[in-house]
Amino acid sequence: MVTVGVAHKGMNVRIANIAGRLKLLVGGGAVDVAKASGGRFGADPHAVFGRMAELSAWASNVTQADEAWDAAVADAPVPAPRQVFAIGLNYSEHAAESGFDAPEAPVVFTKWPSSLSGPVSDVVLPPGSVDWEVELVAVIGATARRVSVERAWEVVCGLTVGQDLSERQMQRSGPAPQFGLAKSHAGFAPIGPLMVTPEELDRPDDLGLGCDINGEKVQDGRTRDMIFTVPQLVAHLSAVVTLWPGDLIFTGTPPGVGIGRTPPRFLTPGDRLHSWVEGIGDLHQRFVVEEAQ
């Protein structure tokens, strides 16, 4: 087993990205990290992921916010991951509604980083059938290779909320599935509004998550029902690839997606999708049609 670096040192930290600047959330407000640290940390939100242990130690002495915090203007807290992994069929009931048995090993695909967006956004609906999938997203905070399950939390610097939006027609077209492409349209990976360290949560392996469409609840689950836990996913992935600071792992969705309904239901123009994970925050997406040029 090889582990390079440790992501954090047991500190409670919440960070956000506002207009490309790293913010530390303190109470109900925010602190500009670059300014407050006198340049010890830069403004770039992504550059901090390899320094989370150092940031955690510094943040323990920051007790007062100096500016307002508004999640509505936040950008993706992890703006430039090298790799975005996603896990399919990671809840037994979701596997069943999709017509599959529970997998014996993680089902892994990728989303392109260009699909990322912030927590509040308009999403252009492409042709086809666009579905919703609320997910807990793990953020890697240290370079890691062949990490054991027992030590996997050491290289996870934080957790955030994600939606793995999926265009089902493309996903199932052709002689082989097109998971990555069908799930990587612009805006198909909103995340945020915060990234929180695992210590910020009383039970990071048992969080409520769900989403509603126009106020109607369509998904409601708990991460304790994952088939493969966050540590198991980190161990599985790092046995094959090197994980880098800022990499994302979309950990799978609970039951309630549109394609699993009778009849199937998909997102339409004007729909508003509200997604949440307990203790982390909320996403708000509005779905629109592309204006004619």
Side-chain angles (χ1 to χ4, degrees):
M1 187 272 296
V2 177
T3 303
V4 183
V6 176
H8 53 88
K9 290 184 177 180
M11 300 299 298
N12 294 31
V13 174
R14 299 181 298 156
I15 61 173
N17 172 9
I18 303 292
R21 296 189 67 87
L22 176 65
K23 305 291 183 175
L24 175 71
L25 277 293
V26 179
V31 172
D32 187 287
V33 172
K35 293 178 181 177
S37 69
R40 177 177 172 184
F41 301 96
D44 179 3
H46 200 83
V48 77
F49 293 113
R51 303 176 62 190
M52 282 300 297
E54 186 182 352
L55 178 71
S56 295
W58 172 80
S60 65
N61 296 311
V62 180
T63 59
Q64 187 171 351
D66 56 18
E67 59 185 69
W69 155 245
D70 184 358
V73 298
D75 296 317
V78 185
R82 293 194 196 186
Q83 303 176 111
V84 181
F85 302 96
I87 309 301
L89 309 177
N90 200 23
Y91 292 74
S92 295
E93 290 185 30
H94 173 57
E97 73 178 353
S98 302
F100 297 97
D101 294 331
E104 296 183 1
V107 177
V108 182
F109 58 94
T110 57
K111 292 171 77 79
W112 273 266
S114 59
S115 65
L116 287 170
S117 72
V120 180
S121 63
D122 286 351
V123 181
V124 175
L125 286 168
S129 303
V130 178
D131 207 344
W132 58 89
E133 296 189 24
V134 64
E135 310 205 2
L136 177 71
V137 180
V139 184
I140 300 300
T143 303
R145 175 81 168 147
R146 298 194 297 277
V147 180
S148 69
V149 172
E150 293 74 21
R151 297 194 63 186
W153 276 119
E154 295 179 20
V155 300
V156 175
C157 68
L159 301 168
T160 191
V161 188
Q163 261 287 345
D164 174 25
L165 295 170
S166 308
E167 198 286 283
R168 299 301 192 188
Q169 291 183 25
M170 178 182 287
Q171 181 181 336
R172 297 188 169 195
S173 67
Q178 295 277 2
F179 274 64
L181 197 59
K183 292 167 173 279
S184 293
H185 288 274
F188 268 33
I191 60 172
L194 307 175
M195 189 209 78
V196 305
T197 53
E199 293 79 10
E200 181 75 11
L201 304 164
D202 291 337
R203 295 175 296 178
D205 55 355
D206 182 17
L207 302 172
L209 74 168
C211 64
D212 64 56
I213 300 172
N214 305 324
E216 176 191 352
K217 186 178 290 185
V218 290
Q219 286 188 281
D220 186 13
R222 298 201 70 85
T223 61
R224 68 185 178 209
D225 295 326
M226 287 182 185
I227 299 170
F228 304 103
T229 65
V230 170
Q232 289 173 319
L233 295 175
V234 170
H236 181 79
L237 290 169
S238 69
V240 179
V241 302
T242 299
L243 300 177
W244 303 101
D247 283 355
L248 300 177
I249 305 173
F250 282 68
T251 61
T253 197
V257 300
I259 200 169
R261 296 169 179 266
T262 305
R265 175 182 177 180
F266 301 107
L267 293 161
T268 59
D271 280 345
R272 293 180 179 270
L273 178 65
H274 167 220
S275 314
W276 63 87
V277 175
E278 177 186 3
I280 301 175
D282 304 76
L283 306 177
H284 297 272
Q285 273 59 57
R286 182 180 67 144
F287 293 87
V288 301
V289 294
E290 189 168 15
E291 296 182 3
Q293 301 296 316

